[in-house]
Amino acid sequence: MKKAVIMLAVSFFIMLYTCREVGIKNKHLQSDIPVNFITDSVIEEDLANIFDSLTVKYSSQLLVFPSIKDKTLLQNIYDKKNITDFTKEGLAKYLEAQKRELYSKLKKTTKLTHLKHLQKWEKTSQMNIKFNENQYLHIQYYESMFIGGVYNYYNYTERVFDLNGNKELKLQDITSMSKDRLSEILNKNIDKTTMMQQMKKYDVLEYNTLLTKKVPMTTNFYFDENNLYFHYNTDEIAEGYSIGDIIIPISWNELGSTLNLKFKKRMKIK
């Protein structure tokens, strides 16, 4: 019964996906955002007693982009088909509706009424700008769920948007290197990451396990002036490894002549 309740709650929270966790510091956040690029945000935070035995802490945040006028691009950024009002007021109403929908579904779930001990659940989400240069906008979306002290889930989604072309950037817009070759470089570079070096010191078993796993390709990528980065969430490389998410870089030099010339010029890569 306990497992069924947990899985049911997880399905509710995943269905109500938004963005990244409020209050978590983004260590990669860039400060040199163009001054003519205006952004704002809306936040919905609440603490509700769903039942006597269940309290839910809800926190969700969306960025607002008054500088972006292309509605197709905005629709892509939010990735929510039922959002038609991209103003601050419209997005605030959307977050409020999402919260009410979650509470309503939880209250209608009869299995949750059988919880015997007081539980405090959390659903948090947020989106943050990490990079905005040369008309490339990188947004990191994050969501987390904490359920009853027995289930803790978090997930990162990295997306880069071309503000000149009003579209989401694909990997083939950056490099023509084959996926097999990229995978080989990722397998080599994973050992250079700080996380892997820490594991090598303190958890040799997990370290050796990860080294034997082939790093798969992912669409979860972003870049800065120095590297192309691939972000893997927990269990994406090896199921059950305890280190959590991991970011593997590939330098521009390693991509060499496979770099798209227009992209290379726009990013001022030498």
Side-chain angles (χ1 to χ4, degrees):
M1 173 64 74
K2 187 175 182 180
K3 183 177 181 181
V5 170
I6 292 172
M7 294 308 298
L8 183 62
V10 169
S11 66
F12 279 149
F13 284 153
I14 291 178
M15 178 189 67
L16 292 169
Y17 163 82
T18 47
C19 303
R20 186 173 188 255
E21 183 175 0
V22 174
I24 289 184
K25 185 176 180 181
N26 186 340
K27 62 183 178 180
H28 302 290
L29 189 64
Q30 300 292 321
S31 59
D32 50 349
I33 304 299
V35 294
N36 61 339
F37 188 82
I38 303 171
T39 61
D40 202 346
S41 65
V42 292
I43 299 175
E44 179 65 38
E45 294 183 317
D46 192 30
L47 181 65
N49 291 321
I50 305 301
F51 302 107
D52 290 340
S53 57
L54 176 60
T55 299
V56 174
K57 182 180 179 181
Y58 182 90
S59 182
S60 187
Q61 179 245 24
L62 290 175
L63 291 173
V64 185
F65 299 98
S67 298
I68 298 179
K69 305 302 181 183
D70 189 278
K71 290 188 176 181
T72 301
L73 177 59
L74 287 168
Q75 194 76 66
N76 196 7
I77 287 173
Y78 295 110
D79 197 26
K80 304 290 181 183
K81 294 182 179 180
N82 57 335
I83 292 182
T84 56
D85 186 349
F86 303 107
T87 65
K88 187 172 184 177
E89 294 76 14
L91 293 172
K93 289 179 181 178
Y94 171 80
L95 289 186
E96 171 68 24
Q98 290 288 290
K99 181 190 72 175
R100 290 199 305 269
E101 182 181 351
L102 171 63
Y103 290 173
S104 176
K105 287 184 177 293
L106 289 175
K107 288 176 180 178
K108 292 178 182 178
T109 306
T110 56
K111 290 182 179 180
L112 296 180
T113 62
H114 299 297
L115 293 174
K116 295 181 179 180
H117 304 287
L118 178 62
Q119 293 192 16
K120 295 181 180 180
W121 294 3
E122 295 183 15
K123 169 69 173 73
T124 55
S125 61
Q126 192 181 39
M127 61 193 298
N128 276 324
I129 294 176
K130 289 180 62 178
F131 183 84
N132 186 8
E133 292 185 20
N134 306 312
Q135 291 296 292
Y136 289 124
L137 174 66
H138 169 206
I139 301 175
Q140 184 182 78
Y141 304 76
Y142 176 94
E143 61 173 334
S144 71
M145 295 173 287
F146 181 75
I147 299 176
V150 295
Y151 184 83
N152 192 9
Y153 165 86
Y154 67 93
N155 184 78
Y156 293 93
T157 301
E158 314 286 355
R159 300 176 69 195
V160 182
F161 300 93
D162 181 351
L163 300 182
N164 280 348
N166 292 319
K167 65 176 184 177
E168 183 173 3
L169 209 65
K170 305 299 181 184
L171 194 57
Q172 56 265 32
D173 296 320
I174 298 175
T175 176
S176 61
M177 184 174 285
S178 69
K179 291 182 178 181
D180 288 340
R181 178 54 184 152
L182 284 170
S183 183
E184 289 176 6
I185 298 176
L186 288 168
N187 274 281
K188 178 189 68 174
N189 289 358
I190 188 174
D191 194 36
K192 301 176 183 178
T193 63
T194 301
M195 285 187 179
M196 286 294 285
Q197 291 305 306
Q198 290 296 314
M199 289 178 69
K200 189 175 184 178
K201 291 181 179 179
Y202 303 111
D203 195 342
V204 178
L205 180 62
E206 292 281 0
Y207 170 79
N208 290 330
T209 299
L210 275 178
L211 283 186
T212 63
K213 301 294 182 179
K214 180 180 179 181
V215 179
M217 283 303 302
T218 177
T219 57
N220 223 22
F221 70 87
Y222 63 94
F223 54 82
D224 60 16
E225 297 89 346
N226 303 310
N227 301 295
L228 176 64
Y229 301 92
F230 292 86
H231 196 163
Y232 293 87
N233 287 295
T234 303
D235 293 340
E236 281 193 293
I237 297 177
E239 185 175 355
Y241 75 95
S242 59
I243 199 63
D245 66 297
I246 189 168
I247 299 170
I248 307 176
I250 295 181
S251 70
W252 297 130
N253 286 336
E254 288 176 295
L255 294 172
S257 61
T258 69
L259 279 175
N260 180 290
L261 293 180
K262 289 183 179 180
F263 173 82
K264 184 176 181 180
K265 181 178 180 181
R266 190 158 147 188
M267 280 297 295
K268 303 177 178 64
I269 299 170
K270 296 181 180 179

